[in-house]
Amino acid sequence: MDRVILAFSKAETADKITRMLDGSGFEVCCVCRSGDELLRAAIELDASLVIMGFKIGGMLAENIASELPPDIKLMAIVRADAADMLSGEGIFVLPLPVNRQSLISSIEIFLGVIEKRRKTRRRSEDEKIIDTAKLYLMEKHHMTEEQAHRFLQKRSMDTGAKLTDTARLILHI
């Protein structure tokens, strides 16, 4: 679960964003009311994203972005007419009005969550193919699981193929 720091001067704005993120897989770990508080929280907490408005406590989003640790990304939710005013590198600008779905989709794209899920899904598919090939070797050639795994590994190394590709060849798929 990705952790998010919210930074809004108005408590009701932070509450609204918190409600939008509820149940989305993103956990609001902190709500900050000033730029200094935000920068301290960014250093102390294990968060991957800061969501804020155009500015907080006199600090513009691009100033905040330049002072954040490099592994924390910044999303600014701003009026459409102010979106062009934010030009800092690494700032994702989301124009108002924003609804729950557009917020969550934007965060997922910005953080690469969709790509992470695809890779996880791909990995589990590959693991199933490898396990099926090991079962085939165990049943047809009376190998233990360890022997079947070593056979797949050795065949992969000898041919220079990926383990999953070797498993597919053995299964004829």
Side-chain angles (χ1 to χ4, degrees):
M1 178 176 288
D2 286 299
R3 294 169 48 109
V4 177
I5 298 172
L6 299 182
F8 293 96
S9 301
K10 295 180 182 178
E12 57 271 7
T13 304
D15 290 342
K16 183 176 179 181
I17 301 294
T18 301
R19 284 192 304 278
M20 286 182 178
L21 293 176
D22 189 37
S24 68
F26 299 102
E27 174 195 357
V28 175
C29 62
C30 181
V31 177
C32 301
R33 303 275 185 249
S34 72
D36 291 333
E37 182 183 3
L38 168 58
L39 294 173
R40 274 193 308 276
I43 291 168
E44 294 171 4
L45 299 174
D46 181 30
S48 53
L49 177 67
V50 169
I51 300 176
M52 64 179 291
F54 183 74
K55 67 179 181 175
I56 184 164
M59 292 182 77
L60 296 175
E62 49 193 22
N63 300 109
I64 297 284
S66 68
E67 295 191 36
L68 284 174
D71 57 330
I72 299 179
K73 299 188 180 204
L74 179 80
M75 176 181 281
I77 301 175
V78 300
R79 292 188 331 260
D81 61 330
D84 295 336
M85 297 170 63
L86 290 178
S87 61
E89 189 176 319
I91 300 175
F92 184 90
V93 178
L94 185 61
L96 288 169
V98 64
N99 61 35
R100 183 180 196 275
Q101 188 56 45
S102 66
L103 175 65
I104 293 169
S105 296
S106 296
I107 293 171
E108 288 177 340
I109 291 167
F110 185 47
L111 294 180
V113 171
I114 293 170
E115 187 59 33
K116 287 180 197 173
R117 287 182 186 155
R118 257 189 223 126
K119 285 181 181 176
T120 301
R121 200 173 312 123
R122 166 68 71 176
R123 194 172 329 137
S124 65
E125 289 171 7
D126 290 351
E127 288 170 359
K128 287 178 187 175
I129 291 168
I130 293 166
D131 287 344
T132 304
K134 285 195 288 188
L135 284 173
Y136 173 81
L137 291 170
M138 290 164 62
E139 289 174 4
K140 294 292 182 185
H141 299 284
H142 307 290
M143 295 180 178
T144 65
E145 183 180 2
E146 187 176 317
Q147 290 170 330
H149 186 74
R150 284 188 184 170
F151 178 84
L152 284 171
Q153 281 182 323
K154 182 162 178 19
R155 179 66 63 92
S156 294
M157 288 189 290
D158 290 347
T159 61
K162 292 182 178 179
L163 193 63
T164 306
D165 294 337
T166 302
R168 282 192 178 102
L169 283 173
I170 287 172
L171 296 171
H172 306 291
I173 57 172

